[in-house]
Amino acid sequence: MFLELIATIFAGIAAAGVVMLLNKLMGGRLPKWLVPVGAGAAMIAVTISNEYGWFPRTKAALPEGLIVVETVETKAFYRPWTYLYPYVERFAALDKGSIKTHKSRPDNKLADMYYFGRWAPVHKLPVFTDCANPRRAALTDGVSFGEDGKIEGVDWVKVAADDPTLVAICGAG
C-alpha cells in the first residue's frame, strides 16, 4: 500500500515535470492550470492501473496447486469507471494439494481455502464439503471427527450444486 502511494506521488511529479518541459519548449504558451491537471490525471491513471492490476499480479504469484475458485468484483459511485468495467477486490483460492478424504466417507472432503482481499491479510480456512448432499462447512473450534470419519459439531450451509467452492473441492480430489 505504501509503495503504491509513493508510485502515485512520483507519477504526479513526473507528469507535472513533463507538462512544464512541454510548456518551456513551446515558449510558455500552455495555460498554467495544465501542470496540476496533468499531475492529477497521471495520479488517477496510476491508481486505476494499480486497482485493476492487483488481481492479475496476485493470481500470477500464487504457488502451484492454488487455484482461484471465486472472485468478487466491485463497483463504486466514487469510481465511475467501475460501472463500465468492475475490478476484482477479493477472491478465494483452493489448495488442491490439501484435499483429504476418509476411506469410509469418500463423498466428504476437507480442504484448505485461502481468502485474499485488496487491502486485507490472507485468511486460511479449512472447509469441509459433502459432495453427495450439496453443503459445506467451515471448520472452527469445537468440531470433532469420529473414527469412521463422521464430523460432529459443525454448522452446515446448504449450497447449490454449482457452488464454485463445492465444485472445485469435489471435482479436484
Side-chain angles (χ1 to χ4, degrees):
M1 184 168 145
F2 180 70
L3 292 177
E4 288 184 14
L5 176 64
I6 297 298
T8 302
I9 291 169
F10 274 103
I13 293 169
V18 168
V19 173
M20 288 172 26
L21 180 64
L22 282 173
N23 190 32
K24 186 158 184 95
L25 292 174
M26 295 180 73
R29 286 187 232 137
L30 293 177
K32 292 186 181 213
W33 56 262
L34 204 56
V35 174
V37 168
M43 293 171 81
I44 289 171
V46 167
T47 300
I48 291 171
S49 174
N50 283 333
E51 283 178 351
Y52 285 100
W54 171 78
F55 174 64
R57 278 192 317 268
T58 306
K59 183 180 176 185
L62 291 177
E64 192 173 323
L66 244 59
I67 58 168
V68 174
V69 173
E70 195 168 3
T71 60
V72 177
E73 293 183 336
T74 299
K75 297 177 187 176
F77 75 92
Y78 53 89
R79 295 176 175 138
W81 55 88
T82 60
Y83 285 98
L84 295 173
Y85 185 66
Y87 73 98
V88 176
E89 184 179 47
R90 297 176 287 159
F91 70 93
L94 165 67
D95 182 1
K96 288 174 49 175
S98 72
I99 298 174
K100 298 174 184 75
T101 58
H102 192 277
K103 60 185 173 198
S104 65
R105 295 184 183 271
D107 287 335
N108 292 350
K109 297 186 180 193
L110 176 64
D112 289 333
M113 293 289 296
Y114 291 88
Y115 297 92
F116 294 79
R118 175 84 167 99
W119 298 114
V122 178
H123 292 284
K124 176 184 172 185
L125 182 67
V127 175
F128 194 73
T129 59
D130 184 350
C131 300
N133 307 308
R135 60 185 184 160
R136 66 181 181 185
L139 292 189
T140 56
D141 293 337
V143 174
S144 62
F145 290 92
E147 288 294 322
D148 64 348
K150 185 176 181 185
I151 189 167
E152 308 229 354
V154 69
D155 292 326
W156 288 104
V157 176
K158 280 286 214 195
V159 294
D162 63 347
D163 176 68
T165 301
L166 186 78
V167 169
I169 293 173
C170 293

